[in-house]
């Protein structure tokens, strides 16, 4: 299995968990009413993510440990949390309150498009025709799957708010790539806690009250799986695939949600489902079979992540090392020029002529 295939697995896993969470979360919508409930449900989902990942980190580290993140990465993380954990969910809730669910689903396909456009145009991530065609095919599949079966209307602030939410998450995805070498559980947990606190506070400000225990616990479990663990896998995929490719794989989430809705909740299927499946399968195949190789130069870089002493990690240690690999610490990459097959991962963020 090539490096690309290994890196694609977390992206597809993230899409599976997030897509699977949607039909289960929909079952909770009928348990609340009023303007405050969408904010409360979003808050509980994100809190389940943040609290669950924080507990996971405490168990993994056997107590509280400071995060080893280079100083220059903290502004990127704060920006990602602000856009993805605060602004995005707020705009989504506004959009959902002014549009139909079908129209909202269709608009949310903009996220992967805007993510890729920003990655290519603003953050100068490398791409080629095969990747563009694959992304277009996957997004087209999502659009077919989400297209309203009947008449759907959208007017006023709703579509603008949904487009704004997609833009906020696209910025979040690109900023998160800047810190994806650091602890994925900490990154995802921080976003979940901030988004959960903001949405829950807004819900209470609008008159919400704590729901019954079964609804509370169910929402938080769904949030931990579909928002928490999914985001951890998304961050891991960013390390190996870059932003645009990870976003394209993640766009298969609506297909996963549709499959579960059909199998578990016996929702009817139609021609659009199979058209979407074919388009998404074609897009994923184009990405999985990509081969990108050329001579490139690595600039000096300082970051920290789990690694082995391979061709990109030939460094000494300023601490006692027991020789166990993989291991994690902040390390420096010297300037290096060579040629091999690669992707826009955390070590290959160079421009192309």
């Amino acid at each position: 299995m090539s490096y690309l295939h290994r890196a694609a697995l977390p992206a597809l896993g993230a899409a599976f968990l997030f897509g699977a969470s949607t039909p289960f979360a929909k079952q909770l919508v009928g348990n609340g009413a009023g303007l405050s409930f969408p904010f409360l449900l979003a808050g509980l989902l994100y809190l389940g993510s943040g609290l669950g990942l924080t507990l996971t980190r405490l168990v993994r580290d056997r107590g509280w440990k400071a995060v080893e993140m280079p100083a220059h990465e903290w502004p990127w993380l704060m920006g990602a949390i602000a856009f993805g954990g605060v602004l995005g969910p707020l705009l989504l809730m506004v959009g959902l309150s002014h549009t139909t669910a079908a129209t909202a689903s269709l608009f949310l396909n903009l996220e992967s498009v805007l993510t890729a456009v920003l990655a290519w145009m603003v953050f100068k991530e490398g791409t080629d025709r095969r990747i563009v065609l694959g992304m277009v095919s996957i997004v087209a599949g999502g659009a077919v799957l989400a297209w309203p079966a009947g008449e759907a209307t959208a007017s006023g602030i709703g579509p603008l708010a949904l487009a704004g939410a997609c833009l906020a998450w696209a910025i979040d995805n690109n900023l998160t790539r800047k810190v994806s070498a650091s602890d994925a559980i900490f990154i995802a947990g921080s976003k979940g806690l901030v988004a959960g606190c903001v949405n829950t506070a807004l819900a209470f400000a609008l008159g919400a009250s704590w729901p019954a225990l079964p609804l509370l616990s169910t929402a938080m479990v769904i949030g931990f799986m579909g928002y928490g663990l999914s985001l951890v896998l998304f961050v891991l995929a960013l390390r190996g695939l870059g932003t645009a490719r990870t976003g394209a794989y993640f766009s298969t989430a609506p297909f996963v949600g549709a499959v579960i809705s059909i199998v578990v909740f016996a929702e009817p299927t139609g021609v659009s489902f199979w058209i979407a499946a074919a388009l998404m399968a074609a897009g994923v195949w184009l990405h999985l079979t990509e081969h990108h190789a050329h001579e490139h130069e690595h600039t000096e870089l300082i970051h920290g992540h789990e690694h082995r002493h391979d061709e990109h990690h030939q460094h000494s240690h300023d601490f006692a090392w027991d020789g166990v690999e993989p291991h994690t610490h902040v390390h420096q990459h010297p300037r290096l020029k060579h040629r091999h097959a690669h992707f826009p991962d955390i070590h290959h963020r160079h421009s192309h002529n």
Side-chain angles (χ1 to χ4, degrees):
M1 181 178 289
S2 69
Y3 181 72
L4 175 60
H5 289 78
R6 290 198 302 271
L9 291 178
L12 293 172
F16 176 83
L17 287 174
F18 183 75
S21 72
T22 302
F24 288 100
K26 283 182 180 179
Q27 305 303 309
L28 303 179
V29 173
N31 291 287
L35 180 62
S36 65
F37 187 74
F39 289 97
L40 180 60
L41 179 57
L44 293 177
L45 290 171
Y46 279 111
L47 280 177
S49 164
L51 294 175
L53 291 177
T54 300
L55 180 59
T56 300
R57 185 164 166 256
L58 289 172
V59 172
R60 181 198 65 184
D61 297 342
R62 299 179 181 180
W64 181 260
K65 289 185 179 179
V67 179
E68 288 191 17
M69 182 181 291
H72 68 272
E73 291 188 1
W74 282 100
W76 297 117
L77 178 59
M78 294 299 102
I81 291 175
F83 280 100
V86 178
L87 187 58
L90 289 179
L91 290 173
L92 175 62
M93 292 302 107
V94 173
L96 288 176
S97 64
H98 290 85
T99 58
T100 64
T103 302
S105 296
L106 188 61
F107 262 88
L108 291 178
N109 282 286
L110 279 174
E111 180 186 345
S112 60
V113 176
L114 293 174
T115 294
V117 169
L118 287 176
W120 296 333
M121 303 299 292
V122 178
F123 294 91
K124 307 301 180 184
E125 183 175 300
T127 188
D128 55 38
R129 184 180 301 175
R130 189 182 193 87
I131 291 302
V132 173
L133 289 175
M135 192 206 72
V136 170
S137 183
I138 292 172
V139 172
V144 169
L145 202 61
W147 195 269
E151 182 180 357
T153 59
S155 61
I157 197 175
L160 289 177
L162 290 172
C166 291
L167 178 59
W169 284 321
I171 295 173
D172 167 29
N173 293 337
N174 280 278
L175 295 181
T176 300
R177 184 197 180 207
K178 296 285 191 178
V179 299
S180 59
S182 297
D183 188 352
I185 294 179
F186 170 74
I187 293 170
S190 299
K191 287 186 181 181
L193 286 175
V194 172
C197 290
V198 169
N199 282 280
T200 303
L202 281 172
F204 282 111
L206 293 171
S209 57
W210 285 109
L213 183 60
L215 176 60
L216 176 66
S217 58
T218 301
M220 295 188 78
V221 169
I222 293 174
F224 173 63
M225 299 292 293
Y227 288 64
L229 295 182
S230 174
L231 184 52
V232 170
L233 291 174
F234 188 89
V235 173
L236 293 176
L238 286 174
R239 292 182 187 175
L241 292 176
T243 313
R245 291 162 177 80
T246 300
Y249 283 124
F250 193 74
S251 296
T252 60
F255 176 72
V256 175
V259 170
I260 290 178
S261 296
I262 294 167
V263 174
V264 178
F265 300 107
E267 291 190 4
T269 185
V271 176
S272 61
F273 174 83
W274 298 108
I275 294 176
L279 287 168
M280 289 184 170
V284 170
W285 177 80
L286 284 170
H287 281 213
L288 287 174
T289 53
E290 177 195 11
H291 183 81
H292 181 79
H294 62 90
E295 186 176 68
H296 54 277
E297 184 174 0
H298 297 264
T299 58
E300 291 185 5
L301 172 66
I302 298 177
H303 62 181
H305 63 93
E306 186 176 75
H307 63 277
R308 298 178 183 273
H309 283 199
D310 54 22
E311 62 178 325
H312 292 103
H313 297 90
Q314 296 296 324
H315 53 256
S316 58
H317 299 84
D318 57 3
F319 58 88
W321 178 44
D322 57 9
V324 174
E325 292 186 329
H327 60 293
T328 304
H329 62 89
V330 175
H331 54 275
Q332 181 174 3
H333 292 266
R335 186 178 297 273
L336 174 66
K337 189 179 223 181
H338 59 179
R339 175 188 176 93
H340 63 92
H342 64 278
F343 308 95
D345 56 27
I346 57 176
H347 298 111
H348 297 90
R349 296 178 177 175
H350 52 261
S351 60
H352 295 78
N353 297 327

